[in-house]
Amino acid sequence: MKSPYDIIKKPVLTEKSYDAMAEKKYTFEVAIGANKTEIKYAIEAVFPGVKVESVNTMRTIGKMKRQGRTQGRTPEVKKAIVKLKKD
């Protein structure tokens, strides 16, 4: 089994994610191979006393970037929006 710290990479801190915090929704960047149940257990393990109600995930494909003649892609990212229970 993976460590919870391998599944959850970092929080996403944007204006949209700050607005969602009022509804008890928090956004994290997670490992690409992680599924919703692994994310749920990882959040509950990293933050004791927190109960997760639901998890929504999304993957963004890396954008094409070029510098001069060379081309490449930015890395793919998987984000999870975690909604907490009222308590």
Side-chain angles (χ1 to χ4, degrees):
M1 179 148 178
K2 299 176 190 171
S3 167
Y5 296 99
D6 292 335
I7 294 174
I8 301 169
K9 292 184 179 178
K10 62 182 179 178
V12 176
L13 303 174
T14 60
E15 287 185 29
K16 191 172 184 179
S17 68
Y18 276 117
D19 292 340
M21 286 181 191
E23 302 168 10
K24 296 230 177 212
K25 291 182 180 179
Y26 297 90
T27 308
F28 296 95
E29 187 177 317
V30 295
I32 290 182
N35 59 29
K36 291 183 180 185
T37 54
E38 289 176 340
I39 294 168
K40 178 181 176 179
Y41 291 133
I43 293 289
E44 291 176 352
V46 171
F47 303 103
V50 169
K51 296 293 180 186
V52 175
E53 183 177 323
S54 64
V55 177
N56 295 331
T57 59
M58 66 188 88
R59 283 181 71 170
T60 57
I61 299 171
K63 296 180 180 179
M64 287 295 296
K65 298 287 184 180
R66 57 179 286 180
Q67 187 169 7
R69 291 169 39 184
T70 59
Q71 294 185 21
R73 282 194 178 269
T74 58
E76 291 186 31
V77 176
K78 185 171 188 176
K79 292 189 274 186
I81 299 173
V82 179
K83 185 173 184 182
L84 303 180
K85 292 186 178 177
K86 297 208 177 198
D87 53 326

